[in-house]
Amino acid sequence: MYEIEKDVPVPIGGKWKPIVAKMEIGDSVVVAGDMEAKTIKACIHTYFKKEENVEVATAARRLEDGTFRVWRLDPLLYPSKKDNLIRQKGIKNDS
């Protein structure tokens, strides 16, 4: 039979963890395509939120040669869309 388990962390690993674990704010990495860019962005978010317990922001841009550059950014300088919506709602509620 199956057993329900609680509080089992999702493993963070694969080929991106060693790279992501070394990234500091402002660091970037070039990857082959858009799927890799999405994957490493997700890994950056997961690693720093779960392992380091810090907020994180990322960005990805397509380069002229078709590769993508992915950055780890300062979340205070580059807040997420969700953070912006929360701030806007907070401002609207205060007025």
Side-chain angles (χ1 to χ4, degrees), residues 14-47:
K15 67 180 182 179
W16 296 117
K17 185 177 180 180
I19 295 167
V20 167
K22 295 177 187 174
M23 291 183 82
E24 297 178 2
I25 291 173
D27 289 350
S28 65
V29 63
V30 175
V31 297
D34 62 338
M35 286 306 296
E36 281 191 329
K38 290 175 185 176
T39 301
I40 196 166
K41 282 181 67 177
C43 189
I44 291 168
H45 283 274
T46 302
Y47 177 82

Side-chain angles (χ1 to χ4, degrees), residues 67-79:
T67 61
F68 283 76
R69 181 172 296 276
V70 179
W71 288 265
R72 177 183 172 208
L73 302 172
D74 184 340
L76 296 175
L77 297 176
Y78 299 92

